[in-house]
Amino acid sequence: MSTAGRSAGGTSTGTADAAVQITDLHKSFGSVEVLRGIDLTVAPGEVVCIIGPSGSGKSTLLRCVNLLETPTSGSVVVEGREMTDPDCEIDEARRSVGMVFQSFNLFSHLSVLDNLTIAQRRVLGRDRAEAERVARANLDRVGLGERGSAQPSQLSGGQQQRVAIARALSMDPSVMLFDEPTSALDPELVGDVLDVMRGLARDGMTMLVVTHEIQFAREVADRVLFIDGGLVVELGPPADVIGNPREPRTREFLARVL
Ligand code: ADP
Ligand code: MG
């Protein structure tokens, strides 16, 4: 289970012990309703893999959890803090949620170590020594303990993505969001990134993972959420949703990707 216990602050609503509670979440862009009422409660230490067709709202859902998108209505509560409360201090709230994107978004002009220390120092106010200690521990965790002085361009895509994961971890998030973290990688580089994510799951990190790696979802997820047209079509253990899907739409999707 997670090593949570970080101070929550803000308004406390929802299921008291949930890591993430999403309630009746709607998101429209103009007249297009992309999320049409999503409910999801994620327990501390739980791994939920989100699968679904292109355009179904997977990225929008993740982006609403850390408020990269502002929900049109509904609520998102992370460790007791209502992100969607207008009084919520958004920058502070966002710190509790780490995000890893398909494109690694490293600062190309900074060394690997500086990529990991800059936000710790600027946002968390850690001094250089402390930030570097945390950075090195997280580089070790993703198997790149020796590469702190490298420039991102000297690393493979898979290594860069592992740096991006270490960078997110260095902010001590209580939840990690992954949006197709291996989709931009050459096939031979995917395995190392998935191994790092497996390790995080084993260590009890709460994770929401959008992925097309169905085998990974089957092995690592506690639950799989199949989303289509902005609605949760099916949610349950991988043995059910992937192994024995109930809904025709889930079956059709899996037949296409498996
Ligand atoms: P997925 O990640 O499942 O492929 P997205 O969440 O990225 O789907 O997108 C869902 C739908 O919302 C798509 O039709 C997309 O075009 C639309 N959409 C996403 N972001 C925006 C935006 N910023 N402005 C307008 N439409 C958007
Ligand atoms: Mg997407």
Side-chain angles (χ1 to χ4, degrees):
M1 291 313 239
S2 110
T3 52
R6 298 160 187 90
S7 64
T11 321
S12 192
T13 53
T15 306
D17 55 359
V20 180
Q21 173 124 32
I22 299 168
T23 309
D24 199 22
L25 180 66
H26 290 253
K27 175 65 182 177
S28 298
F29 294 106
S31 59
V32 182
E33 193 174 31
V34 170
L35 299 180
R36 299 193 289 148
I38 303 278
D39 293 294
L40 175 67
T41 302
V42 184
E46 191 178 21
V47 177
V48 176
C49 284
I50 299 168
I51 60 173
S54 177
S56 57
K58 304 180 299 294
S59 295
T60 304
L61 173 57
L62 282 196
R63 293 166 65 83
C64 281
V65 173
N66 69 352
L67 297 193
L68 284 178
E69 300 288 356
T70 308
T72 307
S73 66
S75 76
V76 176
V77 178
V78 176
E79 290 210 320
R81 184 202 300 265
E82 182 164 359
M83 308 285 280
T84 35
D85 184 328
D87 293 333
C88 176
E89 182 44 64
I90 183 166
D91 290 333
E92 199 186 317
R94 236 184 230 143
R95 279 180 225 159
S96 60
V97 183
M99 183 138 178
V100 175
F101 301 87
Q102 182 175 330
S103 52
F104 331 119
N105 299 344
L106 297 177
F107 299 115
S108 57
H109 62 292
L110 296 180
S111 69
V112 164
L113 196 68
D114 288 345
N115 264 278
L116 269 66
T117 57
I118 188 164
Q120 292 187 65
R121 298 184 66 195
R122 290 197 183 160
V123 179
L124 302 181
R126 289 178 181 157
D127 65 29
R128 178 186 293 276
E130 170 69 357
E132 290 190 354
R133 189 190 63 73
V134 172
R136 289 185 196 287
N138 282 307
L139 284 176
D140 278 341
R141 202 169 174 189
V142 302
L144 293 171
E146 309 297 308
R147 303 310 304 272
S149 58
Q151 295 297 123
S153 60
Q154 296 172 305
L155 303 180
S156 73
Q159 290 172 327
Q160 290 186 53
Q161 189 59 300
R162 283 147 62 197
V163 170
I165 293 171
R167 181 175 61 176
L169 291 172
S170 295
M171 301 298 282
D172 295 336
S174 51
V175 177
M176 286 281 287
L177 310 178
F178 294 86
D179 193 356
E180 299 194 31
T182 60
S183 292
L185 299 177
D186 292 333
E188 75 272 21
L189 304 177
V190 167
D192 286 344
V193 172
L194 293 181
D195 282 344
V196 166
M197 294 169 65
R198 267 190 203 95
L200 294 183
R202 250 194 320 268
D203 291 347
M205 177 61 74
T206 308
M207 295 163 57
L208 278 171
V209 184
V210 172
T211 186
H212 296 299
E213 298 286 339
I214 301 297
Q215 195 51 42
F216 173 85
R218 191 195 284 267
E219 280 168 39
V220 179
D222 296 298
R223 287 185 298 159
V224 174
L225 186 161
F226 175 66
I227 182 174
D228 194 11
L231 288 168
V232 177
V233 173
E234 201 158 345
L235 172 65
D240 294 347
V241 177
I242 296 173
N244 187 20
R246 180 165 42 80
E247 299 291 334
R249 271 192 289 173
T250 317
R251 277 189 231 127
E252 282 159 28
F253 172 76
L254 288 169
R256 270 182 285 147
V257 297
L258 278 174

